[in-house]
Structure formats: C-alpha cells, structure tokens
C-alpha cells in the first residue's frame, strides 16, 4: 500500500497516539494515507473512532506481535 506519511507512535500511551495522528493528518491532503504503528492497546478503539468522527477511512488495520498498524485515508 502506498502511504504518504508514516507515524511511529510505539511506546506512547493514550492520548498521545491520537494527538500525534491529528497533527500528522493536518499535513496531508485529502486522499493521502497515513500509516501509524502503535503499541497502546487502547489505540485500536481510539484511532478507529477518531477516524470515523473526522470523516477519515481506516483502509487497513493489522497486528504484528505487540504492534498495532493502521492505514488511515484522509477524508
């Protein structure tokens, strides 16, 4: 998948993955994809809900070991 920007949020506790995601999204154009890697288990629900509330789309979501990976398209 072609990502426009990568955000490493590993090791950050809530609410920092969301705070960093919001900041990174502001730098993107509509249709761009932000790839996020996080280790906070709460980020699964938080990032999914945040994307929906901001009219963004979670294109893909995966878990590798203790890392949660998200690909969110800016809406």
């Amino acid at each position: 998948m072609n990502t426009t920007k990568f955000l490493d949020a590993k090791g950050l506790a809530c609410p920092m993955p969301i705070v960093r995601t919001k900041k990174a999204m502001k730098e993107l154009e509509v249709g761009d994809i932000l790839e996020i890697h996080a280790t906070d288990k709460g980020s699964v629900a938080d990032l999914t809900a945040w994307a929906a509330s901001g009219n963004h789309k979670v294109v893909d979501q995966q878990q590798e070991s203790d890392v949660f990976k998200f690909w969110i398209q800016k809406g």
Side-chain angles (χ1 to χ4, degrees):
M1 181 174 313
N2 288 335
T3 57
T4 307
K5 186 172 180 78
F6 173 74
L7 174 64
D8 184 358
K10 295 189 296 282
L12 299 176
C14 185
M16 290 312 295
I18 291 290
V19 171
R20 298 261 175 101
T21 298
K22 286 181 185 178
K23 183 179 178 189
M25 275 297 207
K26 287 181 182 178
E27 301 170 4
L28 300 179
E29 301 293 327
V30 172
D32 288 348
I33 296 177
L34 175 65
E35 179 178 350
I36 307 152
H37 291 189
T39 50
D40 180 27
K41 290 180 182 171
S43 65
V44 174
D46 292 347
L47 285 171
T48 303
W50 175 83
S53 71
N55 203 28
H56 307 301
K57 179 181 178 186
V58 177
V59 180
D60 196 5
Q61 178 182 338
Q62 301 174 6
Q63 181 178 354
E64 285 184 19
S65 185
D66 62 342
V67 178
F68 303 98
K69 299 180 177 183
F70 303 88
W71 288 264
I72 301 177
Q73 185 174 38
K74 183 169 183 170

